[in-house]
Amino acid sequence: MNQEKTPAATSAATSAATSAASAATPVVGLVGLGAMGAGMAQSLRRAGHAPHVFDVRREAAEAFARDGGSACATLAELGAQCDIVVSVVVNAAQTESVLFGDGTSPGCAASMKPGSLFVMCSTVDPNWSVALEARLEKLGILYLDAPISGGAAKAASGQMTMMTAGTPAAYERAGAVLDAMAAKVYRLGDKAGAGSKVKIINQLLAGVHIAVAAEAMALGLREGVDPAALYEVITHSAGNSWMFENRMAHVLAGDYTPLSAVDIFVKDLGLVLDVARASKFPLPLSSTAHQMFMQASTAGFAREDDSAVIKIFPGIEVPAPKGNAS
């Protein structure tokens, strides 16, 4: 287990380890092979890395490793073998477990070498991210606040966006690894927090856009407009948005397989409102969208695709799944 170090010793150990490791291709580990994480691991492999992977679903890690890379049985094993650990889990609580364990098994922080790097890709409270950077610094571990956006398809093709913030040493340690996973890597600050703040604002827009797209399609259904015709017109008109085009296609197909679930926006818009509440900043549209996702969640659609928020509107019949005549 890592022992407590003085700031001077931590700095010296981190600098020395970083310089030595930078001469070789870093060993990269990735935790969380969900919709985004699986694609990011594939992008790393395509870029010439042989990533070590861990997922609570052991079979998912083993399936990935069959085509290259290694499946780790524990987080401690992954941490010990990797120079860079990329965490792609749902929230701050899961990130805590990845790093520090869940009470039954240790996390990866205790086995990570001084000078190694932890890249946090979840959507979290920016203040929590700031505190995590300080906590890891005491262990000699570098940290990047690096939320992601773009969806599963862009993650798989290496075309997603990363909103990053961290120390110069953290960026130096990351090298080309970030570019292997993302088409756009924005450097937003020299300490943690800025990346998470920008991601929070992105999620504000994403959540509101999905909610209003559902509202527009629901009105069309209520008024008897052909939904396919409405979709065609809107996606070629000024009222279009990326979220309307992407999510209302799910509604037309009657396919609510969760690429991003309703409960993701219960969480993310909740974080948006928490951040704004701390400075007494009003967010009327975000508040309404959050309530819409909350209603969809409690109505039984929590694990469905976030486009299922359309199901909260009364007096409409959404399109049936393709091939379902009922």
Side-chain angles (χ1 to χ4, degrees):
M1 188 168 183
N2 286 344
Q3 296 181 347
E4 191 85 358
K5 306 177 181 69
T6 65
T10 295
S11 177
T14 299
S15 177
T18 300
S19 298
S22 63
T25 300
V27 178
V28 185
L30 187 140
V31 180
L33 294 171
M36 297 291 283
M40 293 165 66
Q42 291 166 11
S43 294
L44 285 167
R45 187 165 59 195
R46 192 166 54 247
H49 296 277
H52 292 65
V53 296
F54 175 87
D55 194 278
V56 291
R57 302 161 300 152
R58 174 70 177 173
E59 66 277 9
E62 291 175 345
F64 173 84
R66 280 196 286 271
D67 293 322
S70 303
C72 294
T74 66
L75 287 163
E77 176 190 340
L78 182 140
Q81 297 185 33
C82 296
D83 303 306
I84 300 172
V85 174
V86 182
S87 174
V88 198
V89 295
V90 173
N91 54 28
Q94 289 187 8
T95 306
E96 287 267 356
S97 294
V98 167
L99 279 165
F100 306 112
D102 58 6
T104 60
S105 57
C108 63
S111 60
M112 289 176 71
K113 300 177 288 290
S116 55
L117 171 67
F118 186 79
V119 181
M120 193 285 305
C121 297
S122 305
T123 303
V124 301
D125 184 318
N127 293 319
W128 179 87
S129 188
V130 170
L132 182 61
E133 181 180 54
R135 192 173 176 185
L136 291 179
E137 183 181 15
K138 292 179 180 178
L139 298 174
I141 298 172
L142 298 166
Y143 175 71
L144 270 181
D145 177 27
I148 54 179
S149 183
K154 288 189 176 181
S157 64
Q159 296 298 304
M160 68 176 194
T161 297
M162 299 188 82
M163 305 160 222
T164 70
T167 63
Y171 282 113
E172 181 181 357
R173 188 71 196 89
V177 167
L178 304 182
D179 291 329
M181 297 184 288
K184 294 185 181 295
V185 179
Y186 291 101
R187 298 190 177 196
L188 301 167
D190 59 3
K191 58 183 179 180
S196 286
K197 287 180 181 179
V198 172
K199 178 61 187 294
I200 287 289
I201 295 166
N202 179 78
Q203 293 308 90
L204 181 161
L205 289 166
V208 169
H209 286 177
I210 294 169
V212 76
E215 181 173 281
M217 183 61 77
L219 178 61
L221 293 169
R222 178 67 170 179
E223 293 299 319
V225 177
D226 176 68
L230 177 62
Y231 180 85
E232 176 69 16
V233 171
I234 296 301
T235 55
H236 292 86
S237 301
N240 191 35
S241 68
W242 190 91
M243 284 300 190
F244 182 96
E245 188 165 348
N246 183 270
R247 298 309 204 266
M248 292 308 100
H250 301 174
V251 172
L252 291 181
D255 184 1
Y256 299 97
T257 303
L259 300 178
S260 172
V262 163
D263 266 1
I264 292 294
F265 277 98
V266 172
K267 172 185 76 77
D268 288 0
L269 286 173
L271 287 172
V272 169
L273 295 172
D274 287 344
V275 169
R277 189 179 298 113
S279 60
K280 297 183 179 179
F281 192 81
L283 296 177
L285 296 180
S286 301
S287 299
T288 300
H290 186 239
Q291 287 297 309
M292 291 169 66
F293 285 106
M294 288 277 283
Q295 185 177 346
S297 180
T298 57
F301 311 127
R303 296 182 182 276
E304 294 189 15
D305 186 76
D306 51 36
S307 59
V309 71
I310 196 172
K311 296 181 180 182
I312 69 172
F313 289 96
I316 64 168
E317 185 175 342
V318 297
K322 299 294 186 183
N324 186 346
S326 59

